[in-house]
Amino acid sequence: IERTFSGVYTNNEITKIGDYAFAGLGNNITGINAPNVESVGEYAFRGCGNVQSINMPKVKTIGVNAFGYSVYTTMPKCVTNNTFPLLESCGDGSAIFGYMFDGELLYLPNMKEGLQIAGLTADGPKYINLPEFVDQYAGRRRMFGGNKVIQKVWLPKVANIQYKDFNGCTAFVALILAK
């Protein structure tokens, strides 16, 4: 039996995509249209490396590795500052805000906690502005550690820089903590 599956399209009643919901579908998912989804669970789209469009304007929370463990080098650039305009918390952003991000400035005006764009990301934003970001999740390390393209980061409300948060950021030139 040949299975054809091109995308995730939700109706207006769906507000959450649960953990592992579409994990393992590989390159079968090319589009996500979920206009009323507010929460994306852990590993929800794990391994979906062919996503070319995302429409999730109401998402406030993205779980750990929700878009992770894909073939990062081939992932289309389909995430912009307008993809998740209400985002407040993100378990890991290495895929969606690293490899999938299209642009030089990542601006997430409502992001408060949990972002991580670590690893040997050779692509993604050069500048990051998180005006409401307060802190990482307890125990998280390497917020940007090992990232090869980030040059400047604005975190005016952050009180703590943690272990290896910027370790190995070879292009890094400035961290702006105060307004």
Side-chain angles (χ1 to χ4, degrees):
I1 297 175
E2 185 177 327
R3 183 172 78 179
T4 304
F5 187 82
S6 64
V8 176
Y9 306 94
T10 65
N11 63 29
N12 291 336
E13 297 175 18
I14 304 294
T15 59
K16 180 178 181 178
I17 295 175
D19 297 349
Y20 295 92
F22 299 98
L25 290 177
N27 290 331
N28 292 324
I29 295 179
T30 58
I32 302 168
N33 185 22
N36 289 310
V37 167
E38 295 177 6
S39 176
V40 178
E42 295 181 2
Y43 304 96
F45 294 96
R46 179 183 184 191
C48 298
N50 197 30
V51 175
Q52 297 174 24
S53 66
I54 300 173
N55 178 30
M56 298 178 123
K58 293 186 180 177
V59 165
K60 292 182 180 178
T61 305
I62 297 176
V64 173
N65 285 312
F67 293 86
Y69 298 110
S70 300
V71 182
Y72 293 134
T73 57
T74 62
M75 293 179 85
K77 299 283 191 189
C78 64
V79 175
T80 68
N81 285 320
N82 297 320
T83 304
F84 307 107
L86 303 178
L87 189 63
E88 296 176 0
S89 177
C90 186
D92 181 355
S94 292
I96 55 176
F97 297 118
Y99 299 97
M100 296 172 73
F101 186 76
D102 187 14
E104 289 196 351
L105 169 65
L106 172 60
Y107 176 65
L108 297 171
N110 300 302
M111 177 67 76
K112 292 178 177 64
E113 63 182 3
L115 183 66
Q116 183 180 25
I117 308 179
L120 299 175
T121 307
D123 213 347
K126 291 181 181 179
Y127 313 102
I128 298 174
N129 188 347
L130 307 173
E132 294 299 318
F133 194 83
V134 178
D135 226 335
Q136 291 178 263
Y137 293 132
R140 291 300 293 245
R141 304 282 192 242
R142 296 184 64 214
M143 183 166 34
F144 304 108
N147 189 293
K148 303 297 183 197
V149 297
I150 294 174
Q151 295 178 17
K152 292 183 182 178
V153 177
W154 290 265
L155 301 168
K157 292 188 177 183
V158 167
N160 299 307
I161 301 298
Q162 298 186 40
Y163 181 72
K164 293 190 175 183
D165 273 349
F166 294 92
N167 182 46
C169 293
T170 56
F172 193 69
V173 292
L175 170 63
I176 298 145
L177 295 172
K179 287 186 176 183

